[in-house]
Amino acid sequence: MTLKEFLSKNDKFAANSGCKLTEIREGYARAELVVTPDHLNAGGVCQGGAYFTLADIALAAVMNSHEGLTFGIENNIMFLHSAKAGDTLTAEATEIFNHHKIPYVDVRITNQNGDLCCVVTGLAYRKDARLPIEGLM
């Protein structure tokens, strides 16, 4: 099982929210979400939790791309541009610092027009355990 298959199968919340991993390389991951009416808040724009869930699955992919079990311990999120139903959001997660225990990742979420909608930064804790995977994609 690859990391993409492992996360797609076992992160049920992200999958049920419509998030899909589209690329994983060591130190990089991309995920996509098509915003539906179910993703909207009371103001009629994409709810912050939808952005965060999309960023979180990309973060998980990047942080686990070295095949060591890694869990997020702190994240910061900034909302910059509202998305609406029908928009396609793309999260690109890049490992900024691959510390053996506390990696740091930056995620940028853009819409189909390339507008920067959201920025998420994250720290994680890498355990000594290995993931039950063979390869990334």
Side-chain angles (χ1 to χ4, degrees):
M1 177 180 299
T2 66
L3 178 59
K4 181 181 177 190
E5 292 166 337
F6 179 80
L7 291 173
S8 296
K9 176 183 176 187
N10 295 307
D11 193 324
K12 296 183 187 328
F13 188 82
N16 290 335
S17 297
C19 299
K20 293 182 176 36
L21 285 166
T22 57
E23 183 178 355
I24 305 172
R25 299 189 313 259
E26 193 170 286
Y28 175 85
R30 186 175 59 232
E32 293 182 357
L33 169 70
V34 175
V35 179
T36 71
D38 291 335
H39 294 112
L40 303 182
N41 63 20
V45 296
C46 189
Q47 207 268 350
Y51 287 109
F52 188 82
T53 300
L54 178 61
D56 189 57
I57 194 67
L59 280 163
V62 127
M63 291 175 173
N64 286 284
S65 69
H66 301 284
E67 301 182 19
L69 182 61
T70 308
F71 293 101
I73 57 174
E74 180 180 350
N75 294 288
N76 294 299
I77 189 166
M78 288 185 297
F79 304 105
L80 304 170
H81 183 79
S82 296
K84 59 188 183 317
D87 285 349
T88 298
L89 298 178
T90 301
E92 291 189 279
T94 305
E95 188 174 67
I96 303 301
F97 184 63
N98 179 28
H99 186 270
H100 68 284
K101 283 291 183 191
I102 311 287
Y104 174 73
V105 173
D106 178 70
V107 182
R108 298 192 176 269
I109 297 177
T110 56
N111 65 14
Q112 68 279 359
N113 300 321
D115 298 320
L116 183 60
C117 297
C118 183
V119 175
V120 178
T121 56
L123 288 173
Y125 180 76
R126 188 166 286 139
K127 299 180 71 125
D128 292 328
R130 304 298 291 168
L131 286 169
I133 62 170
E134 295 179 17
L136 301 178
M137 294 283 295

